[in-house]
Amino acid sequence: MVALSAPVTRRFPSRTYVTGAVVVAWIALWVVLNGRDTLPLGGAQLTPLHNRLGEAADAIDANRDSNPLFLYFVNYIRLFLDAAVTFVQALISQPSFGRPVPLVGWLGVTGVATAIAHLYGNRKVAVLTAAGFASFGLLGLWEESMDTLALTLTAVALSLAAGIPLGIWAGLSDRFNRIVTPVLDFMQTMPTFVYLAPLTLFFLIGPASATVATMIYAVPPAIRLTAHGIRQTPPATLEAADSLGATGGQSLRKVRLPLAKRTIVVGINQTIMAALSMATIAALIDAPGLGKTVLKALQTLDVGTAFNAGLAIVIMAIVLDRVTSAAGRRVETVHRAGRSDRSRLRRVETAVTAAVAVVLVYLSYTYVWAAEFPGGADLGSYVRRGADAASTWAQDTLVTYTNGLKNVVTYALLNPFEALLGRSPWWLVAVVAVALALLLAGVRAAITAAVGCALLVALGLWHDSMVTLATTLVATLLVMVLGVILGVWMGRSDRADRVLRPVLDAGQTMPAFVYLVPILGLFGATRFTAIIAAVVFAAPVSVKLVAEGIRGVPHTAVEAATAGGASTWQLISKVQLPMARAGITLAASQGLIYVLSMVVVGGLVGAGALGYDVVAGFSQHQLRGKGLAAGLAIVVLGIMLDRIMRAAAARAGSSPASR
């Protein structure tokens, strides 16, 4: 017999080797082509597209009162939103109704807030709320704090009015859920700052634009978590209701909504925190409140004033978070008890609390001493001087360490990345981007990369986009170093999780502006300051995702490796990290998007590039078109990077190593 030969299989190079070869070829070509076709554009230079965008913006302004779209639709929305914010300001922050003080003064506002915290939370939260509101006055920022609260409450009320019904609809309808999910993904993926400029074209600079911007950022959690709560209703419970003859409306009111109440309260908490974060950032478009104080201080490098206002923002975030979290725990407790919290003692307590709040409101309405916070109790000046002194001490004393860290990151990471991306020919970077997207994420991601690069060239901001991309990649790399180190620690140790998780939760709660203040005081206004602020902003979510990935590794695999004599390092590097690759890739994707969302704020403290272009577009009329183009460029970068990272994460999750 003649032996049959085995079929010959052709082995292709590993994807890792091909990726490495692409990068090596890129570096080799960069050495030869360094500085050619980089499409640089000076800070005051404009392209024809920028001029057309600026002219279009001017045309919109000129025809605002004659165009039917504005005359009969947009203007009414703007007037309604302005009136809504102004009305809440008239109640709690600004002189109104012919009075030299608001309708409800500081004592009444503090009393009502404390009563709400007591009724829906507990005594500890009520004490925290009273102390928090008193601190706004003690810091000398009562009016600014109430302006921020007014904008936040208005945006939250409108977000919940739209978000909860849409969430119920998405929870009941699979078709609507499929339609709304990509819209919500886009709203949460798009960097928060870039839609500020387009909004001002329609709603002008001021409270209306700030409210719409805040709603865009705050409404997705309300929709998502409401839909999730509706969908989590046990099928057996719904079947029991149907068997008793309940209609669809009765089933919704009597079964689905009560069971989803806990999840909806969590959605309200997330909506409030997102609204507060965006309400401070909206100072870029003249939103009233603490954000404007921080913005002016950052522009003049006044660390003390920025720190004082940032402290007030932190206190407000903590108070709002604790009140809504306590309300969620109360709902959970009542749900587990299976009865409503209507004991006689509770009814008496509620009545007394409400009566005290009414008395305090009356006093603040009637007497000036209860309406205006006492001016002599000003701790803000001490805080400002202390922050300035601490900043000066840190910059003088820690200069060796801060400069060392800054120089290492700048010269070892930032400058090489910026040189490779910014000084390579644009067509070479585009080819490499498409090739890497194809290798790492597939054909669709490669098409997205090609379209994204073409749009960046068309927008006339290729070089600035590459500088921003370099900063983003460096910050993301630092985020992932922290994410892997701390995430592995949290994933392997319950004690570490208990210690780090509250810190990470606090980091996710704080508005983005707050991060800049201490970092600015420590490092001054440099590109490195923007990178560190982005790292602090993005690290919490990446650390949590890595920790979840490590926890998701099957215990049998860990036990088998341990029984085989693997050391701790071998267990982490050979078993847990490879098997958690999908979670780590997702952490990198989310970290990158969070970093990119900080580029505009980074433009306030020396980051330059697209962030500076957007900020300059707000402040200089002749650069308005360029600012709009820069905002679009950030959106393009965000979509391109998000799609590539999502596809890479999906591919990692479906690979054998991740199973």
Side-chain angles (χ1 to χ4, degrees):
M1 294 180 66
V2 179
L4 296 176
S5 60
V8 178
T9 59
R10 180 176 298 176
R11 293 187 177 182
F12 293 97
S14 167
R15 187 184 296 118
T16 303
Y17 292 120
V18 177
T19 302
V22 170
V23 174
V24 170
W26 180 15
I27 296 173
L29 289 172
W30 173 82
V31 173
V32 177
L33 303 171
N34 183 9
R36 299 184 187 177
D37 301 329
T38 59
L39 306 181
L41 191 69
Q45 287 183 287
L46 301 175
T47 67
L49 175 63
H50 302 162
N51 288 324
R52 285 195 293 272
L53 288 174
E55 291 168 359
D58 292 338
I60 290 175
D61 287 340
N63 297 295
R64 187 177 302 279
D65 295 328
S66 59
N67 186 287
L69 175 64
F70 285 89
L71 196 59
Y72 300 110
F73 183 67
V74 175
N75 287 352
Y76 281 106
I77 296 177
R78 176 171 59 84
L79 291 173
F80 168 76
L81 294 175
D82 280 338
V85 176
T86 303
F87 175 73
V88 181
Q89 287 180 297
L91 290 179
I92 63 175
S93 66
Q94 296 293 330
S96 56
F97 304 107
R99 295 161 51 88
V101 293
L103 198 65
V104 182
W106 77 270
L107 190 62
V109 173
T110 303
V112 171
T114 304
I116 292 173
H118 187 207
L119 294 176
Y120 292 96
N122 52 55
R123 293 183 182 89
K124 290 183 179 179
V125 174
V127 172
L128 174 66
T129 301
F133 274 73
S135 69
F136 300 146
L138 293 173
L139 293 173
L141 295 168
W142 177 263
E143 184 175 311
E144 292 86 346
S145 299
M146 292 304 100
D147 281 337
T148 297
L149 185 62
L151 178 59
T152 301
L153 292 178
T154 304
V156 168
L158 295 173
S159 296
L160 295 179
I164 291 179
L166 290 175
I168 293 173
W169 188 7
L172 296 175
S173 170
D174 291 335
R175 176 180 296 178
F176 181 70
N177 188 59
R178 287 193 297 270
I179 293 173
V180 77
T181 296
V183 177
L184 298 178
D185 289 341
F186 179 75
M187 291 168 68
Q188 292 188 300
T189 299
M190 186 169 54
T192 55
F193 313 99
V194 299
Y195 46 75
L196 296 181
L199 286 176
T200 60
L201 292 179
F202 292 91
F203 301 103
L204 300 179
I205 289 177
S209 294
T211 304
V212 175
T214 303
M215 288 180 63
I216 292 173
Y217 189 55
V219 78
I223 298 175
R224 286 187 187 277
L225 288 169
T226 300
H228 178 70
I230 295 295
R231 289 179 175 275
Q232 290 301 303
T233 306
T237 305
L238 293 175
E239 291 173 2
D242 291 339
S243 66
L244 294 174
T247 64
Q250 290 173 330
S251 178
L252 175 64
R253 294 192 305 272
K254 303 295 185 181
V255 180
R256 290 182 183 269
L257 284 177
L259 291 177
K261 187 183 295 184
R262 293 167 293 166
T263 307
I264 293 174
V265 172
V266 174
I268 293 173
N269 171 272
Q270 295 300 303
T271 299
I272 291 173
M273 301 316 299
L276 176 60
S277 177
M278 194 63 201
T280 57
I281 293 167
L284 288 166
I285 53 174
D286 202 33
L290 294 167
K292 186 180 292 186
T293 304
V294 175
L295 178 62
K296 290 180 179 178
L298 290 176
Q299 290 172 336
T300 58
L301 302 181
D302 186 351
V303 175
T305 300
F307 182 85
N308 190 49
L311 180 60
I313 295 172
V314 170
I315 293 171
M316 186 175 294
I318 292 173
V319 169
L320 294 177
D321 179 59
R322 294 298 182 269
V323 171
T324 50
S325 297
R329 288 192 295 270
R330 179 179 287 277
V331 170
E332 175 74 17
T333 301
V334 172
H335 173 77
R336 289 181 178 178
R339 56 182 176 82
S340 61
D341 191 4
R342 294 181 180 177
S343 65
R344 182 176 180 181
L345 178 61
R346 180 62 179 171
R347 289 197 297 270
V348 172
E349 192 176 13
T350 300
V352 171
T353 302
V356 172
V358 169
V359 171
L360 294 179
V361 169
Y362 172 76
L363 292 175
S364 70
Y365 176 80
T366 307
Y367 300 101
V368 174
W369 61 266
E372 292 183 343
F373 199 91
D378 183 14
L379 298 179
S381 59
Y382 298 100
V383 173
R384 290 190 293 270
R385 288 198 294 268
D388 284 330
S391 174
T392 301
W393 175 86
Q395 291 185 12
D396 292 341
T397 306
L398 304 177
V399 63
T400 302
Y401 306 102
T402 56
N403 281 346
L405 178 61
K406 180 168 61 178
N407 290 338
V408 167
V409 172
T410 300
Y411 292 109
L413 292 174
L414 182 57
N415 287 351
F417 269 96
E418 192 172 310
L420 185 61
L421 285 164
R423 294 191 60 79
S424 292
W426 69 267
W427 49 266
L428 176 59
V429 177
V431 169
V432 171
V434 172
L436 292 178
L438 180 63
L439 291 169
L440 298 176
V443 176
R444 289 185 179 180
I447 295 173
T448 301
V451 173
C453 290
L455 289 174
L456 293 177
V457 173
L459 289 169
L461 293 169
W462 175 266
H463 187 264
D464 283 358
S465 298
M466 292 303 101
V467 173
T468 294
L469 180 59
T471 304
T472 302
L473 293 177
V474 170
T476 304
L477 179 62
L478 297 177
V479 166
M480 288 312 300
V481 170
L482 280 177
V484 171
I485 293 174
L486 298 180
V488 169
W489 187 24
M490 286 179 61
R492 289 173 51 84
S493 170
D494 292 336
R495 179 179 297 178
D497 186 87
R498 288 193 297 271
V499 172
L500 292 178
R501 189 166 293 274
V503 178
L504 299 177
D505 290 341
Q508 285 188 285
T509 300
M510 297 301 105
F513 262 16
V514 176
Y515 299 127
L516 285 176
V517 178
I519 299 170
L520 178 66
L522 195 59
F523 296 100
T526 64
R527 295 178 299 167
F528 181 74
T529 302
I531 289 176
I532 295 300
V535 169
V536 175
F537 182 62
V541 65
S542 295
V543 172
K544 287 183 178 181
L545 288 172
V546 172
E548 292 301 320
I550 295 296
R551 269 194 216 94
V553 175
H555 292 294
T556 53
V558 176
E559 292 170 358
T562 303
S567 64
T568 300
W569 171 248
Q570 290 172 329
L571 179 63
I572 294 172
S573 61
K574 303 296 184 182
V575 178
Q576 291 179 310
L577 286 178
M579 297 189 74
R581 186 167 60 183
I584 295 172
T585 307
L586 180 60
S589 171
Q590 292 300 300
L592 190 147
I593 296 302
Y594 271 67
V595 166
L596 187 61
S597 71
M598 284 289 286
V599 296
V600 176
V601 172
L604 298 172
V605 290
L610 294 179
Y612 172 80
D613 293 335
V614 173
V615 174
F618 287 127
S619 58
Q620 302 178 48
H621 184 269
Q622 68 272 20
L623 298 180
R624 193 177 185 184
K626 189 174 184 179
L628 290 170
L632 292 174
I634 295 173
V635 172
V636 170
L637 275 179
I639 293 174
M640 184 170 64
L641 294 172
D642 178 65
R643 294 297 179 268
I644 293 173
M645 295 299 292
R646 282 178 183 267
R651 175 172 287 189
S654 62
S655 66
S658 64
R659 294 174 184 171

